[in-house]
Amino acid sequence: MVALTLDDKGLTAQIDQITSGLKRPRGLAVVLGREVRNRLRNHFIGKQRTEPNRLGGKRTNFWRAVANAVHQPEIDAAGTQIRVAVAHPAIAQKVFGGRLTPKRAKALTIPVSKEAYGRTAATLEADKSILLFVLGKRDGQQRAVLAELSTTKGVVVHYVLAPWVDQKPDPDALPSKEELSEAVTTRAQAYVSRLKGGVA
């Protein structure tokens, strides 16, 4: 899970200036929390639409699942703090990167064929009615592979076996702070403008 915090003194000063004299700040906080949530969801849905599977094959719809995991904003009683959480179990790995290690098996199975993408080795064997076998050594120096012996294609490699993988962070996993700051500021200005003729 990732909880988004826009910890920017410049943004805070801008919002304070825009909302100076506002009698009910919690109303604004609700609007701004909704804006951040919508921006996050739209960003993830955009990634779902524009980022194809690198291997081809059936899509896993990862980014759609992340969009569906964006929680409703949590706002403190004073209306001064807004928290929007993304409760997908893999989003932190996308944002920060880090080492992936197997939890139950001895090695990670990294798909390298379109048939393997989004499937475990056991699922692939069941779906294709094939038997995968290990080719090579799992000694940390040379990675072994899980392959199929096809009557038409010969040896077809579906997975690389690895004791770990160091994954780089995705710099576009979240919208930029600049984009979110601009959206929040614009929404705050619009909210206050609507209140000008009434009671804030």
Side-chain angles (χ1 to χ4, degrees):
M1 183 168 76
V2 168
L4 194 67
T5 305
L6 286 177
D7 189 13
D8 184 315
K9 291 181 181 178
L11 174 62
T12 303
Q14 269 187 302
I15 297 295
D16 286 347
Q17 186 178 8
I18 293 166
T19 60
S20 160
L22 199 64
K23 293 176 184 176
R24 291 194 293 271
R26 199 169 194 286
L28 173 64
V30 169
V31 169
L32 296 185
R34 193 178 302 128
E35 178 69 20
V36 171
R37 180 178 186 269
N38 289 342
R39 291 282 169 164
L40 286 170
R41 283 181 52 80
N42 289 341
H43 179 79
F44 299 141
I45 289 167
K47 285 179 76 68
Q48 170 71 27
R49 289 180 183 148
T50 59
E51 294 187 4
N53 293 344
R54 284 175 292 181
L55 297 175
K58 188 178 178 181
R59 299 204 68 172
T60 60
N61 297 314
F62 172 80
W63 290 109
R64 184 185 299 157
V66 173
N68 292 338
V70 180
H71 281 196
Q72 293 292 341
E74 295 175 15
I75 301 161
D76 69 341
T80 56
Q81 292 184 357
I82 306 164
R83 182 177 185 267
V84 180
V86 184
H88 193 281
I91 188 62
Q93 182 73 24
K94 289 286 187 184
V95 173
F96 303 112
R99 178 161 288 189
L100 292 170
T101 55
K103 291 180 174 55
R104 296 184 192 91
K106 293 180 180 178
L108 296 172
T109 50
I110 303 163
V112 292
S113 72
K114 69 178 182 179
E115 294 90 351
Y117 186 80
R119 289 172 163 148
T120 65
T123 303
L124 179 64
E125 285 183 316
D127 289 350
K128 289 192 70 183
S129 298
I130 59 171
L131 183 63
L132 297 174
F133 63 94
V134 176
L135 185 64
K137 295 180 180 179
R138 286 180 280 186
D139 58 7
Q141 301 297 319
Q142 181 182 0
R143 290 184 176 178
V145 297
L146 272 179
E148 160 197 6
L149 185 57
S150 167
T151 54
T152 57
K153 300 177 184 176
V155 175
V156 180
V157 175
H158 290 293
Y159 300 93
V160 171
L161 300 175
W164 70 81
V165 171
D166 287 324
Q167 189 176 45
K168 293 181 180 178
D170 178 352
D172 190 41
L174 295 174
S176 70
K177 284 193 175 183
E178 292 76 19
E179 178 188 340
L180 285 175
S181 295
E182 184 179 344
V184 165
T185 304
T186 301
R187 181 62 67 189
Q189 288 169 334
Y191 178 83
V192 172
S193 293
R194 284 199 305 271
L195 293 176
K196 276 188 175 177
V199 179

